[in-house]
Structures are given as C-alpha cells and as structure tokens.
Amino acid sequence: MGGRRDGPLMRSNEKGRRSRIAAAIAIGVVFGCVFALLYPHGLFVSTPLHSIASKSYLQFNLSSCESSERISMLKSEYVAAYKKNAELKKQIQELTGKLRLAEQGKDNAQKQVLVLGEQQKTGPFGTVKSSRTNPTVVPDVSANPRLAKILEKVAVNRELIVALANSNVKNMLEVWFSSIKRVGIPNYLVVALDEEIANLCRHNNVPVYERDPDNGIDLVGRTGGNHAVSGLKFQILREFLQLGYSVLLSDVDIVYLQNPFEHFHRDSDVESMTDGHDNRTAYGYDDVFDEPSMGWARYAHTMRIWVYNSGFFYIRPTIPSIELLDRVSDRLSRGKAWDQAVFNEELFFPSHPGYDGLHASRRTLDFYLFMNSKVLFKKVRKDAHLSKFKPVIIHINYHPDKLSRMKAVVEYYVNGKQDALKSFPDGSDW
C-alpha cells in the first residue's frame, strides 16, 4: 500500500494559517500591555466603603474650615459695607439739605449774580433800577437747635414777633400780648428773662422761650431795666437771624391794633418805625445851617432825619443785618451807650477815613400806621379826621407813664371810649 502525500497547495495554506494565528497572538499581547499600562486596576474597580468615608470626612473637615473662615470674612465685609452705607446716607442727607436750601434762595442768588457777577447794559431813561433786596442767609440750625424747634412751630412764613421781658415789665407785657391775641396774630414769641415771666406766659398760653439760665448775658436780663434789656436784645436777636427767620423786634410798651405783617415791604434789610412826627422829620429834609461870619457862603445845607426806633423794627436774615447786630452788640459791650443811638449810627454813618460804613438797605415805616406816642398825643387825638384813623400799632415811647397810656389806647381804639385819651398831657410831667 502506498501512503497519502500532500500537495504543494495544502502546504501553502497551512503556512498562512499559522502566520495569522501568530499575528493575532502578537496583537493580543500588545493590546494587553497597553491596557495594563493604562488601567492598572482594571476597567471596573470597586472602591471600599471605608475609603469613601475617609475621603468624605477629609473633604467635610476642609469644607467646614473653609466655610467658617468664609463666613467670618463675609461678616467683616458686611459690617464694613454697612458703615460705608451709613456714611453715604449721611452725606446724601447733607447734600439734599444743602440743595433744598440752595433752591430756597435761588431767586435772591440769581438777583445777586445779576448785580455783582455780570456786567449789564443800561436800559432807556427812567427804567434803570438797582437791586435793594439782599439774599437771605443759609439757616444754621446748629446755632441753637432748641430754639429752632420752637420757631418751626411758632413762625409763619419764617417770620415772627419777638419781645424780651423780665418781671420789671410784667404788667405792660400782659397788655402787649393781650392786644396781639385780640388782633389774631399767631406768630409771636416772648423771650423770658426770668422764671416769673416764663410762668406768666405758660399760664396765659403765650409762646415762650427760656434761655440757658447759666448764660452770663442773662444776668443782665433778669435784673436790668429797660435800657439794659434793650442792649441785650441785639445779642439774642442774632440767633433768630442765624436760624433763617425774619424778626419783628418789639418792645412791650406797644399796643397792636392790626397785623403788622400785612404792611411790610420786605425789600430792605431793616424796616423801622421812626421817632419823627411829620413827613420832614420822619422821612428826611434839607436843614440849612446859617453861619453869618462866612459872608456869601453863610448858608450850608445839611440832610436831616429823625432816628429810627430801636424798640420796633423788622429785620431780615441777611449778612448786612447780622453785621449790624454784631456791630451794635460790640459797641454796647465796650462801654456805656444808648442802644438806639448806636443802632442809628451804624445804620446811617457812611464810610470815611478810618471807618467802613455798613452796607445795609433800610426803609422808614409810615409814621401814621406805625405810630409813636408823640404823634398820637400831640397831633392825632386833636384832629377830627386823623382820630378816626386806625393805626397798626401805637408805641408809647415818648412817655414814662407807659402802662396807663397803653390802657387808654385800648379803651379808645378797641372799646370806643372817645374821651379815653383826653386826660393826658402832651408830654410828661417829669
């Protein structure tokens, strides 16, 4: 028997098969090495529970520390931001207040700028007029916060009547505020210089302001007479103007028959009643001085006006007004002088070598409306026509028997008693 013999084709197929197997094995080994290198723990690795817990605990501790520090930092930032916000609010309030005050004085400021800040062309003949109304000051509440609160309640249109009084003028004060109440004037205030006057005002529902009893200047006010109190009023009045209020300064020897605020022009720093008794003395006149030894030049012309009464004047809160009060107070503090004389000198004396005059505008009030007692007793009561005229106020400034004449004025003008004024002499009996 002969054996089976494979042909060349079979041998060739066998070789190819072995080569493919070897290649597959080689590829498998290569892939295995790569996977072993990339995934040393295999594709699916289960982490032990204790390992997870340990890792979470560590992360929790780290997070807790970080959170605590973060909270502390945030608190510090919040406190700083809160303080900054409070400061900003305060600044905004201050700016808002300044803006409001600036808007209040806008009209006056614009007028002032027109006069002082810009050159202007003149208009046609007879049309040119200068500004006589000075702008009001910015109110300064810090000057007297307690008084500021009182004035907010008492004042009307930022103006009011103010009188200073101690127990020496108690009876006249009662006639004074009774006449104000009768007319229906709501905006008035008594500056009480002692406790007796303060109690009198409270008992009669009269608005009252008590100053600091430890203030040195009030020692004069508690015990002084009319002239001492008159000198004191200029110092006290300054605080009202600093707070931005217009004041009608009034002595207590005055009877009110109409509301004076309906008769002011408000175009000047000071509007005052006069001690004059006719048009010439009240409003000014040319007084000729005769000196015969000068021959051809014997006649010298002078301008005269009777003084303003420092016991009744309306004053606006302007820089010239406050300067006036400062000047008068300073001169009165440096020596004995009559406050009314000093008041007028500072208002009227012009600038001259060694002296700078006050640049304050002024207006003389109608002497029949704002009447002094000389006009009343020497002229008005004897004139059938004038005696029927009803003035705004009557000031018993020319006579020492003030209380009896004040009561007579009330009887004549209020109660209609026609002979109430007849028994009094024109002047005083000394």
Side-chain angles (χ1 to χ4, degrees):
M1 290 181 58
R4 185 170 70 87
R5 298 177 66 183
D6 295 330
L9 182 60
M10 291 294 290
R11 286 195 296 272
S12 177
N13 289 337
E14 186 66 23
K15 269 185 196 178
R17 195 163 42 250
R18 277 200 284 261
S19 297
R20 286 195 294 273
I21 291 171
I25 291 171
I27 291 170
V29 171
V30 171
F31 271 106
C33 290
V34 172
F35 273 97
L37 183 62
L38 295 175
Y39 302 100
H41 301 291
L43 285 173
F44 305 100
V45 180
S46 59
T47 304
L49 185 61
H50 68 85
S51 177
I52 295 173
S54 176
K55 195 178 294 183
S56 299
Y57 177 74
L58 180 61
Q59 291 175 349
F60 176 76
N61 282 343
L62 289 172
S63 299
S64 297
C65 292
E66 290 177 358
S67 298
S68 178
E69 292 176 0
R70 182 65 177 164
I71 289 172
S72 298
M73 185 173 68
L74 288 172
K75 283 183 177 179
S76 299
E77 291 177 354
Y78 174 78
V79 171
Y82 181 81
K83 290 181 178 178
K84 185 66 175 176
N85 187 47
E87 291 177 2
L88 289 172
K89 280 185 178 179
K90 185 178 179 180
Q91 291 175 2
I92 290 172
Q93 289 175 348
E94 290 176 354
L95 289 172
T96 302
K98 290 179 180 179
L99 179 61
R100 177 174 52 80
L101 293 173
E103 289 175 347
Q104 288 178 354
K106 183 178 178 182
D107 292 340
N108 285 329
Q110 287 177 341
K111 291 178 182 177
Q112 193 75 351
V113 168
L114 287 174
V115 174
L116 300 178
E118 297 180 2
Q119 290 183 316
Q120 301 179 68
K121 291 183 178 180
T122 58
F125 178 81
T127 64
V128 177
K129 288 186 178 181
S130 63
S131 175
R132 289 174 289 275
T133 308
N134 286 313
T136 56
V137 299
V138 175
D140 179 12
V141 178
S142 65
N144 192 328
R146 186 164 63 90
L147 178 59
K149 291 182 180 179
I150 296 174
L151 297 183
E152 286 178 1
K153 299 177 182 178
V154 175
V156 175
N157 296 325
R158 300 192 71 82
E159 57 186 11
L160 73 161
I161 302 171
V162 175
L164 279 67
N166 59 21
S167 54
N168 292 335
V169 295
K170 178 182 176 181
N171 294 331
M172 285 191 292
L173 179 65
E174 289 182 293
V175 179
W176 179 86
F177 66 64
S178 295
S179 70
I180 288 177
K181 287 184 175 183
R182 189 183 302 111
V183 174
I185 304 169
N187 48 330
Y188 68 102
L189 180 71
V190 174
V191 178
L193 300 177
D194 56 40
E195 192 60 30
E196 184 177 358
I197 292 299
N199 291 332
L200 174 69
C201 291
R202 284 192 288 265
H203 180 73
N204 289 277
N205 295 317
V206 172
V208 62
Y209 166 61
E210 296 179 83
R211 290 178 53 79
D212 182 0
D214 297 327
N215 193 312
I217 65 173
D218 285 344
L219 294 175
V220 176
R222 286 195 291 272
T223 58
N226 288 344
H227 286 293
V229 173
S230 293
L232 175 65
K233 68 191 175 189
F234 293 98
Q235 298 179 48
I236 296 177
L237 186 56
R238 189 188 204 275
E239 296 180 356
F240 289 80
L241 268 61
Q242 277 185 279
L243 295 172
Y245 289 86
S246 296
V247 174
L248 170 54
L249 195 285
S250 173
D251 283 351
V252 297
D253 56 343
I254 293 174
V255 177
Y256 287 77
L257 301 172
Q258 297 185 55
N259 189 332
F261 293 108
E262 297 174 0
H263 299 272
F264 294 133
H265 291 77
R266 299 174 179 82
D267 63 345
S268 304
D269 296 306
V270 176
E271 295 182 55
S272 178
M273 72 171 295
T274 175
D275 275 1
H277 55 88
D278 56 23
N279 287 341
R280 295 174 73 251
T281 57
Y283 309 137
Y285 63 101
D286 178 17
D287 184 37
V288 181
F289 175 76
D290 183 11
E291 190 175 8
S293 63
M294 288 298 294
W296 175 82
R298 66 181 291 179
Y299 299 111
H301 292 260
T302 67
M303 299 307 299
R304 298 285 298 277
I305 184 173
W306 285 32
V307 296
Y308 282 177
N309 191 287
S310 63
F312 188 93
F313 60 88
Y314 176 83
I315 185 167
R316 296 175 60 247
T318 66
I319 293 297
S321 295
I322 295 175
E323 184 183 0
L324 168 65
L325 300 180
D326 288 350
R327 287 185 177 212
V328 175
S329 297
D330 178 62
R331 286 185 56 185
L332 293 176
S333 68
R334 288 188 281 110
K336 290 185 177 181
W338 183 26
D339 69 282
Q340 181 159 292
V342 175
F343 177 70
N344 279 272
E345 288 171 3
E346 293 299 335
L347 264 179
F348 287 96
F349 280 0
S351 298
H352 56 261
Y355 176 79
D356 290 327
L358 182 71
H359 293 263
S361 56
R362 53 198 179 272
R363 172 182 283 273
T364 305
L365 295 171
D366 186 321
F367 70 90
Y368 281 125
L369 288 175
F370 299 90
M371 191 181 297
N372 61 57
S373 56
K374 180 177 182 178
V375 173
L376 174 64
F377 287 98
K378 281 199 70 176
K379 186 176 184 180
V380 170
R381 67 170 176 168
K382 302 173 183 179
D383 188 294
H385 176 69
L386 291 176
S387 62
K388 296 177 182 179
F389 177 76
K390 187 176 184 179
V392 177
I393 61 104
I394 294 179
H395 189 178
I396 312 297
N397 60 315
Y398 270 100
H399 300 86
D401 51 339
K402 296 179 181 297
L403 182 59
S404 58
R405 292 189 186 240
M406 287 177 73
K407 290 180 178 179
V409 167
V410 173
E411 288 294 324
Y412 182 81
Y413 284 102
V414 177
N415 299 328
K417 190 176 179 180
Q418 296 301 310
D419 60 349
L421 303 176
K422 289 183 178 180
S423 63
F424 296 94
D426 289 353
S428 62
D429 295 329
W430 290 98

